[in-house]
Amino acid sequence: MIQKLGKACQEWGFFQVINHGVPESLMKQMIDACQRFFELPEEEKKEFHTKNLLDPIKCGTSFNVAIDKVRLWRDYLKVIAHPKFNSLYKPAGYSEVSLEFSKRTRAVATEILNGISESLGLEADYITKAMNWDRGCQILAANYYPACPQPDLAIGIPPHTDHGLVTLLIQNDMCGLEVKHNDQWVLVNAAPGAFIVNVGDQMQILTNDKYKSIWHRATVNNTATRISIAVPHGPALDTPAVPIPELLEKEGEKAKYIGMTYEKFMELQASPAAYMMPCLDHLRVKDN
Ligand SMILES: O=C(O)CCC(=O)C(=O)O
Ligand SMILES: [Fe+2]
């Protein structure tokens, strides 16, 4: 099992997790609650249109309205659920459901990180300890992609990598997530009730490129609304990921990355600099 996990992280950077113990009914309730939020009148969502990256609750349209040139077809709602749980007072039920969903999802993420540590030949709690997981950042990032009359001319989310350690994602009945594998876009077709999991940038740094943070994107369709909830899990905001010394020693490698706190890394990813050059390349040691 641990070996398979390591292989999936190394070869794909994406995998699905089934039999994880989180009830499918809870996942559905979470998607429903988000759908009800997105369907609120614009007027009622305005108060959450905030500007700062780490505002505890924010909603809006598109990835980066100021910079994107492609036609984006997406609304989003981002709520920071850990280390401090934040919530919305509307729609009714969102708060309770998101509390339970975030706790249960974080528990699965912890198991995955333990498994990943072991797959690297480390103690199970190596990564969680090093990343100050007890203060780790968890974001509930819901994406709403209404049916689009001309899906070929639009994109839900343009190609990107995720900033954290691992992202866990659920979706309604519609597919749309595509991952880059051997230079091809591959549509992800997950089992009902599965978590789709991907390695993020911080994990690529920790493993000195062994486990890759894979480029992915969300396409849109012309038949029905698609909803996905991506749950990035990262280190504590003040904690920088650096290549794990024990691994470097084992592989006889030099560190390929310099450290940057997770907070600064997220700021970098949201800045125009990330459009010029992938974020990880900003941290890459030059003479490697
Ligand atoms: O909607 C999807 O499937 C992809 C979402 C995603 O990649 C993200 O929110 O980071
Ligand atoms: Fe993503």
Side-chain angles (χ1 to χ4, degrees):
M1 183 69 184
I2 297 290
Q3 246 177 358
K4 275 194 183 159
L5 177 62
K7 200 164 179 257
C9 289
Q10 210 166 346
E11 291 178 4
W12 281 88
F14 264 85
F15 53 92
Q16 58 169 321
V17 176
I18 54 171
N19 299 330
H20 42 62
V22 180
E24 199 174 336
S25 56
L26 178 61
M27 294 175 155
K28 287 216 165 82
Q29 283 171 0
M30 183 65 198
I31 289 172
D32 280 355
C34 291
Q35 176 149 17
R36 280 184 284 117
F37 173 83
F38 288 118
E39 288 171 358
L40 289 172
E42 279 315 311
E43 200 51 36
E44 289 205 43
K45 290 183 278 193
K46 253 194 188 151
E47 65 183 286
F48 306 113
H49 283 190
T50 45
K51 298 268 175 300
N52 302 313
L53 183 68
L54 286 171
D55 285 340
I57 299 171
K58 56 183 190 170
C59 75
T61 290
S62 135
F63 208 62
N64 188 328
V65 187
I67 299 165
D68 289 319
K69 293 184 185 68
V70 279
R71 288 162 202 259
L72 295 155
W73 199 265
R74 159 188 176 248
D75 285 353
Y76 68 82
L77 168 66
K78 291 187 184 175
V79 182
I80 299 182
H82 198 274
K84 184 177 175 306
F85 178 74
N86 295 279
S87 195
L88 301 169
Y89 64 91
K90 62 187 171 186
Y94 177 92
S95 189
E96 296 79 358
V97 169
S98 69
L99 176 62
E100 184 65 13
F101 176 76
S102 62
K103 275 195 204 158
R104 301 289 301 260
T105 303
R106 197 173 129 82
V108 177
T110 308
E111 289 297 315
I112 293 170
L113 290 181
N114 291 350
I116 290 180
S117 287
E118 290 191 70
S119 77
L120 294 164
L122 303 164
E123 290 295 320
D125 60 358
Y126 188 101
I127 291 175
T128 50
K129 269 193 184 154
M131 294 294 97
N132 293 318
W133 184 243
D134 54 331
R135 294 185 290 113
C137 184
Q138 183 197 41
I139 305 172
L140 301 176
N143 302 301
Y144 181 77
Y145 313 99
C148 173
Q150 288 187 290
D152 296 343
L153 298 180
I155 187 94
I157 302 188
H160 66 282
T161 60
D162 289 350
H163 43 64
L165 292 161
V166 285
T167 301
L168 276 63
L169 181 138
I170 61 171
Q171 59 187 4
N172 66 351
D173 302 331
M174 304 299 290
C175 290
L177 173 63
E178 293 185 344
V179 311
K180 196 87 178 263
H181 184 67
N182 294 339
D183 268 337
Q184 305 264 357
W185 287 110
V186 180
L187 183 69
V188 175
N189 208 338
F195 277 111
I196 300 168
V197 182
N198 64 292
V199 167
D201 295 342
Q202 306 307 301
M203 187 63 78
Q204 179 163 340
I205 296 173
L206 286 178
T207 62
N208 211 36
D209 282 349
K210 185 168 185 183
Y211 294 171
K212 297 262 178 14
S213 176
I214 299 294
W215 289 79
H216 56 282
R217 66 182 186 183
T219 57
V220 291
N221 72 84
N222 56 13
T223 49
T225 295
R226 174 165 183 261
I227 294 177
S228 69
I229 303 173
V231 192
H233 293 83
L237 287 180
D238 61 2
T239 302
V242 291
I244 295 173
E246 287 85 340
L247 289 184
L248 294 180
E249 197 173 320
K250 198 167 88 186
E251 307 282 343
E253 287 177 357
K254 283 199 220 159
K256 293 181 180 161
Y257 297 99
I258 55 163
M260 178 182 269
T261 66
Y262 187 43
E263 179 167 9
K264 284 265 175 298
F265 190 91
M266 283 198 277
E267 281 168 7
L268 176 65
Q269 200 202 37
S271 76
Y275 280 75
M276 314 295 173
M277 178 162 83
C279 241
L280 279 176
D281 288 345
H282 289 267
L283 271 64
R284 208 177 281 278
V285 175
K286 295 283 180 299
D287 62 357
N288 256 291

